[in-house]
Amino acid sequence: MGIIGKDYKYKIIKNFLTKEEVYLFSLYCEIKHRTNLTEFDFDQNNVGDTVFYGDPIMDSLMLTKKPLMEKETGKKLLATYSFWRTYTKFAILEKHTDRPACEISVTILIDSDKTKWPIYMNGNPINLEKGDAAVYLGCEVEHWREEFEGDHQFQTFLHYVDAEGKNKEQYMDKRKFWGTK
């Protein structure tokens, strides 16, 4: 599909996660979702959704996938932050573009109840399978999801900036340590 940022604003990467990674992260997300008592999405009124910023395992995933992201984007990247959530019935992702720390973003479908739930990028629906990722220019590509009709979907988002670009000061999302808020 070409190098992101030159010919394309987004692209799909099949099998971004290995089967073993899908299994590991799926179990992790299910356990974390079921035992969560404090991290819910009150901002978007998706109150059944659990949300985790800078989770240690997802920050670790972001760091280990950086070489693949550099290959896929053709850019030297700096990691900023990870974010993951369990979407539940009636969840909606409002139409938006992202903040500067999300210059180059990836959304990964970890697992779901098999309900198709496309993410729209610049008006185009994209359905991902378990382990697949959509890489996109988060500050440029308008993206959203319509209302979710399924039971659950585990998604993680990994964010990077161009190491030689205007947002390089967003490195680590200005945190002192990985795996923290």
Side-chain angles (χ1 to χ4, degrees), residues 105-123:
S105 296
V106 57
T107 182
I108 306 160
L109 174 57
I110 294 173
D111 204 352
S112 76
D113 64 358
K114 298 184 178 40
T115 301
K116 295 289 184 197
W117 194 41
I119 185 166
Y120 290 83
M121 294 200 181
N122 285 342

Side-chain angles (χ1 to χ4, degrees), residues 2-168:
I3 295 174
I4 193 165
K6 287 193 175 187
D7 300 327
Y8 298 91
K9 303 256 183 211
Y10 61 89
K11 66 194 276 189
I12 308 308
I13 302 175
K14 302 297 283 177
N15 302 308
F16 185 84
L17 297 179
T18 66
K19 288 181 182 181
E20 293 81 8
E21 289 170 329
V22 167
Y23 183 63
L24 169 71
F25 291 116
S26 181
L27 287 174
Y28 178 81
C29 291
E30 182 177 355
I31 292 167
K32 194 91 165 160
H33 174 69
R34 291 187 187 280
T35 60
N36 176 42
L37 298 175
T38 59
E39 304 299 315
F40 296 97
D41 184 357
F42 295 109
D43 294 334
Q44 295 184 43
N45 294 318
N46 296 331
V47 294
D49 293 6
T50 53
V51 294
F52 297 93
Y53 169 94
D55 186 85
I57 198 168
M58 297 304 176
D59 270 5
S60 298
L61 176 66
M62 174 185 60
L63 295 169
T64 61
K65 293 295 183 177
K66 188 169 98 52
L68 174 59
M69 288 296 296
E70 289 177 333
K71 178 182 171 201
E72 291 292 335
T73 61
K75 297 180 182 295
K76 182 170 171 34
L77 301 176
L78 297 172
T80 58
Y81 74 97
S82 67
F83 182 84
W84 77 268
R85 72 184 305 144
T86 301
Y87 288 102
T88 58
K89 191 162 181 71
F90 308 123
I92 295 174
L93 178 63
E94 298 291 337
K95 191 180 288 188
H96 69 286
T97 55
D98 295 325
R99 61 190 178 91
C102 309
E103 184 178 6
I104 298 172
S105 296
V106 57
T107 182
I108 306 160
L109 174 57
I110 294 173
D111 204 352
S112 76
D113 64 358
K114 298 184 178 40
T115 301
K116 295 289 184 197
W117 194 41
I119 185 166
Y120 290 83
M121 294 200 181
N122 285 342
N124 300 309
I126 297 169
N127 278 300
L128 300 173
E129 300 296 326
K130 287 195 299 189
D132 291 350
V135 179
Y136 56 101
L137 300 177
C139 303
E140 295 179 33
V141 175
E142 195 170 57
H143 50 285
W144 71 93
R145 292 179 187 267
E146 303 294 334
E147 187 175 271
F148 184 49
E149 295 298 323
D151 178 65
H152 71 278
Q153 187 172 98
F154 304 137
Q155 286 278 332
T156 192
F157 308 89
L158 312 177
H159 302 290
Y160 305 89
V161 293
D162 183 338
E164 298 165 3
K166 65 182 179 182
N167 296 314
K168 61 186 171 202

